[in-house]
Amino acid sequence: MLYSVDWTQVTVALAKCVFAVVFIMNIVPVLIWAERKGAAYIQDRPGPNRAHILGIRAAGLVHTLVDVVKLITKEDIIPSHVEKGFWFVAPLIGMSIGLVTFAVIPWGDHLLLPAETFEFLGLQKDLDIHLQVADINAGMLFILAMGSLSVYGVMLAGWSSNNKFALLGGLRASAQMVSYELAMGLAVVVMFLCYGTVRLDEIVQAQAGPIWNWGVFEGFGIVGGLAFLLFWVAVFAETNRMPFDLPEGEAELVAGYHVEYSSLRFALFFMAEYAHMIVGSAVTATLFFGGYNVPFLTGEMLRAHTDTILMVLGFAAAPLFLVFAVIAFKRRGRKFYQAIPKNDIRHREPLFFVAVWTLLAFAHVGVGMLGLSGKVGATVFGPEVVAFLIQTNMLVMKVLIGCWIMIWARWTLPRFRYDQLMNLGWKYMVPISIGTVMLAGIWVILRENVLG
């Protein structure tokens, strides 16, 4: 029997896959830059500020591009004593798990493509796109399953390197991930009880509207707050971030499980850590902070008041960008710029950012005027585009806040001893998480039978 292929659905599925990969890969360079500059500010030093393109340093962001070129082009050293098959595949596991896990994270409610607007695509009827790569029933269970598989990349890297430091790092990572996955799973069970579903899209939809609908405020903030703290600490441990970076503690293990890696293979481990940070922050935002939802605004409200929202956002953002332009202009008076010759190309940077911020300000004035005209909301496709952009950017903002907290913690808190790490996981977090599950059960009974 022959089956017809719906090429429209195939194209939509591929587009969503590409979007998920681009979503993570575009944030990774920003996080690398934020890590380096954040560490510099916390340690009272300038940080990366030398590399430039035609005098434009972009506050050190150009260094990230330099690192990419360096890691791609430098010599790929393959030690003779490694188990090559497993050694080759280990970095791929870590990075691919981070990319695959994001597949079940919703970044918006839906996007409606009207048939009359997109006739050139061959649409016979309106196409309602669910903004989630994999719309599966057990979305959160999929994330936990994929997260447990990421340990194999670390273990294989440590074992196949045939290096005692790498092996110890792999052993530490496996014990650490197994220990904290239990507390993480129990924290997730709390949210399952509160929302009555394991589907991430339904969990996010239940948090739409007022900010007190967010998961962190479940049970008057006691149940949801405890679950969030347990889950967030477990995310730190799962991503091997300070103070849980025992698998690669340089003071003890040189670099841990990836000590024998160089060039692009090391870059994969390096980027995988940031990919897991992005996914961990996205899952945390989805479960506890409303996901893509804008506080007090549902998707229907975004579509119903498109012009008003554009007007407010446009006219409110324009003065902010003008302030940034003034700050960039005043940078010309700093001692650094006064000390260099007037014909030096480094004088271009303040003027470049004055132009960028000014253009953004005028662009947002245009957005505000467009909203004031009332033409966007009257179109068939306009409200859908605005809702999609606002919801996606809201998720990005929440992800970036979570990632910055991880960066802040890394350069603020000292590393645990290994016995302290395991004691925290087994003696404190597991019992507390079990108690939180019981508390969640009591809260659900009270909510449904007493509070109505």
Side-chain angles (χ1 to χ4, degrees):
M1 180 178 180
L2 296 177
Y3 294 92
S4 61
V5 178
D6 189 343
W7 291 107
T8 302
Q9 294 296 335
V10 172
T11 304
V12 168
L14 290 175
K16 291 195 289 186
C17 292
V18 171
F19 178 88
V21 174
V22 171
F23 184 95
I24 293 180
M25 297 308 295
N26 277 343
I27 298 179
V28 166
V30 176
L31 293 185
I32 295 173
W33 169 79
E35 180 97 67
R36 301 178 72 177
K37 295 299 286 189
Y41 287 134
I42 290 172
Q43 297 172 353
D44 195 21
R45 56 186 177 83
N49 65 348
R50 293 292 186 270
H52 64 86
I53 298 175
L54 299 176
I56 310 302
R57 299 171 298 165
L61 189 59
V62 176
H63 276 261
T64 303
L65 300 177
V66 174
D67 287 339
V68 171
V69 176
K70 177 190 69 176
L71 289 170
I72 291 176
T73 58
K74 72 183 296 186
E75 181 184 2
D76 183 16
I77 300 173
I78 303 175
S80 59
H81 56 269
V82 300
E83 297 287 343
K84 291 185 179 180
F86 297 106
W87 189 82
F88 287 151
V89 77
L92 300 176
I93 294 177
M95 190 63 192
S96 59
I97 291 297
L99 296 174
V100 170
T101 306
F102 189 78
V104 295
I105 303 293
W107 62 83
D109 48 10
H110 66 92
L111 178 65
L112 182 64
L113 300 183
E116 60 269 23
T117 306
F118 292 89
E119 289 180 348
F120 62 93
L121 295 179
L123 292 183
Q124 303 298 323
K125 58 181 180 179
D126 293 350
L127 182 62
D128 196 1
I129 301 174
H130 190 63
L131 299 179
Q132 190 178 8
V133 176
D135 183 14
I136 57 179
N137 291 328
M140 192 60 219
L141 298 181
F142 174 82
I143 291 177
L144 293 176
M146 289 296 103
S148 64
L149 289 178
S150 64
V151 70
Y152 286 99
V154 177
M155 290 175 60
L156 285 176
W159 171 79
S160 63
S161 294
N162 283 326
N163 179 300
K164 60 183 178 181
F165 298 113
L167 179 59
L168 286 172
L171 290 174
R172 284 184 175 187
S174 58
Q176 178 174 312
M177 291 183 180
V178 170
S179 300
Y180 282 84
E181 274 181 357
L182 183 58
M184 175 183 282
L186 290 172
V188 171
V189 168
V190 171
M191 306 316 294
F192 290 167
L193 286 172
C194 291
Y195 291 110
T197 180
V198 297
R199 293 177 61 97
L200 289 177
D201 55 340
E202 294 180 358
I203 291 176
V204 177
Q205 290 166 10
Q207 299 178 67
I211 197 171
W212 48 83
N213 287 346
W214 287 3
V216 72
F217 297 114
E218 277 291 328
F220 302 105
I222 299 174
V223 174
L226 282 173
F228 161 68
L229 289 175
L230 291 167
F231 187 85
W232 190 235
V233 173
V235 167
F236 271 78
E238 292 289 304
T239 54
N240 295 328
R241 296 289 298 182
M242 188 76 84
F244 297 93
D245 67 336
L246 273 298
E248 50 188 270
E250 67 275 1
E252 307 150 21
L253 304 179
V254 186
Y257 58 90
H258 55 67
V259 67
E260 296 286 3
Y261 287 88
S262 62
S263 187
L264 190 57
R265 302 181 200 280
F266 167 77
L268 285 174
F269 277 120
F270 189 63
M271 292 189 296
E273 180 177 319
Y274 290 101
H276 287 296
M277 287 172 58
I278 295 168
V279 173
S281 297
V283 175
T284 304
T286 299
L287 290 177
F288 300 100
F289 296 99
Y292 56 76
N293 286 308
V294 182
F296 302 102
L297 293 175
T298 63
E300 289 73 17
M301 295 171 66
L302 291 175
R303 293 173 174 84
H305 306 283
T306 300
D307 294 313
T308 303
I309 291 171
L310 284 179
M311 183 177 62
V312 172
L313 288 178
F315 289 135
L320 180 63
F321 288 126
L322 287 177
V323 170
F324 290 159
V326 172
I327 294 173
F329 183 78
K330 287 186 174 181
R331 282 174 60 90
R332 299 181 67 197
R334 293 177 56 185
K335 293 181 179 179
F336 170 79
Y337 290 103
Q338 292 178 348
I340 59 180
K342 291 185 178 181
N343 60 349
D344 195 293
I345 60 175
R346 284 175 287 183
H347 283 290
R348 297 176 181 175
E349 183 172 46
L351 297 176
F352 171 78
F353 281 105
V354 168
V356 169
W357 294 124
T358 303
L359 286 173
L360 285 174
F362 280 109
H364 279 78
V365 169
V367 170
M369 294 297 294
L370 193 61
L372 190 61
S373 69
K375 294 180 179 179
V376 178
T379 62
V380 178
F381 192 50
E384 294 292 330
V385 174
V386 172
F388 167 76
L389 293 176
I390 291 177
Q391 289 179 337
T392 303
N393 280 283
M394 180 57 59
L395 179 63
V396 170
M397 288 175 57
K398 294 174 182 179
V399 168
L400 290 177
I401 291 172
C403 292
W404 169 246
I405 293 174
M406 291 186 182
I407 293 172
W408 189 2
R410 175 176 181 178
W411 300 103
T412 305
L413 301 177
R415 181 183 295 120
F416 290 152
R417 291 199 319 264
Y418 196 68
D419 61 312
Q420 293 173 331
L421 180 142
M422 300 305 288
N423 285 338
L424 175 64
W426 289 105
K427 293 184 179 180
Y428 295 96
M429 289 188 63
V430 171
I432 293 174
S433 58
I434 293 174
T436 306
V437 171
M438 298 175 64
L439 192 63
I442 296 172
W443 159 246
V444 171
I445 294 172
L446 289 175
R447 183 183 63 188
E448 294 183 354
N449 297 286
V450 179
L451 302 179

